[in-house]
Amino acid sequence: MPESARGSGRSTSVALAVLPLGATEQHGPHLPTDTDARIARAIASSAVIHMEHAGMTAELLPAQAIGASGEHAGFAGLVSIGNAVLRSVLIEIGRSVCEWAPRLLIVNAHGGNVGALTAAVVALRGEGRDVAWVACETATGPSDTHAGRGETSIMLALAPDEVKMDAARPGCTAPLAEILPELRRGGVRAVSASGVLGDPTGASAEEGREMVAENVRRIASAAQPWEIDSRGHLSDR
């Protein structure tokens, strides 16, 4: 049974089902491996509540917490199903959900999922199912791409007891565009021994709360006009 924002399914018809999509992978020595899933779930849950306040009946689904994270190979804690399997899983979830919900929105918090996610949503839309995806924005700048200031701030706001700030250290702080070729060739280990891409030491719960609120506002506002591009991405600007 789908899980609503209040924790129980409803038998009434819904306008939109919302699926949080994360990953299970290392996030440096200071964040838990389910960071992406926690962030996706929290933002999707609050977005559903905002949608309902705006008059849209929405249903929060349980999070898909394992994604495509092959770039983190070699780090402890990684659980990845790869792009091909993730694409298939999302297609099957979409087909199932669209039997009872007219629309499905996938809220993604892991960049490594985007290839499989886009392929799945395009395939579902090609089958006539009204499915879209949108990204959680967790970066504070071009060098803050994994377990840095943004994600650490959000986790300080969501689950401060799970954040080990005494272990937080800067990782690779070069802009993503600069390290992307090496990242594609050798994964995260090729550019950061700690697995951190960014500097988490300046993170704060206050900044995290602001980032969550902005994500929620952006996603909830985009759900009403429901404008989708050719990649199945929900227009959120």
Side-chain angles (χ1 to χ4, degrees), residues 77-88:
L78 171 66
V79 184
S80 174
I81 56 177
N83 285 294
V85 174
L86 179 60
R87 176 184 179 277
S88 295

Side-chain angles (χ1 to χ4, degrees), residues 24-237:
T24 301
E25 62 192 30
Q26 68 82 24
H27 276 76
H30 63 293
L31 294 178
T33 58
D34 64 345
T35 289
D36 292 340
R38 288 174 184 251
I39 291 173
R41 186 185 300 112
I43 289 173
S45 175
S46 293
V48 163
I49 293 171
H50 277 246
M51 292 173 198
E52 292 191 326
H53 287 167
M56 175 183 290
T57 306
E59 225 25 87
L60 179 69
L61 302 172
Q64 171 63 32
I66 298 175
S69 304
E71 69 274 16
H72 294 278
F75 286 100
L78 171 66
V79 184
S80 174
I81 56 177
N83 285 294
V85 174
L86 179 60
R87 176 184 179 277
S88 295
V89 167
L90 293 175
I91 286 174
E92 292 304 324
I93 289 174
R95 288 170 176 166
S96 176
V97 171
C98 288
E99 290 295 316
W100 55 268
R103 287 176 173 171
L104 170 63
L105 177 63
I106 303 172
V107 177
N108 178 50
H110 171 54
N113 290 336
V114 170
L117 173 58
T118 300
V121 170
V122 169
L124 287 164
R125 293 188 64 80
E127 295 175 354
R129 294 174 171 87
D130 200 357
V131 181
W133 69 275
V134 70
C136 299
E137 295 182 355
T138 60
T140 60
S143 62
D144 177 26
T145 53
H146 185 73
R149 176 172 170 172
E151 286 190 319
T152 303
S153 291
I154 292 174
M155 286 299 290
L156 284 170
L158 299 179
D161 292 343
E162 299 292 327
V163 181
K164 302 174 182 176
M165 284 304 295
D166 57 341
R169 300 288 187 277
C172 175
T173 55
L176 179 61
E178 182 179 317
I179 64 173
L180 194 56
E182 186 64 21
L183 190 64
R184 285 175 171 161
R185 282 193 297 268
V188 175
R189 285 178 69 89
V191 296
S192 174
S194 69
V196 175
L197 303 178
D199 183 358
T201 58
S204 71
E206 180 180 2
E207 183 172 33
R209 285 189 289 271
E210 291 173 357
M211 294 177 72
V212 169
E214 174 55 26
N215 273 283
V216 169
R217 181 208 62 76
R218 174 177 55 84
I219 293 170
S221 298
Q224 287 284 6
W226 195 253
E227 297 174 357
I228 316 298
D229 68 16
S230 61
R231 299 172 63 242
H233 186 266
L234 178 67
S235 178
D236 55 347
R237 297 299 178 196

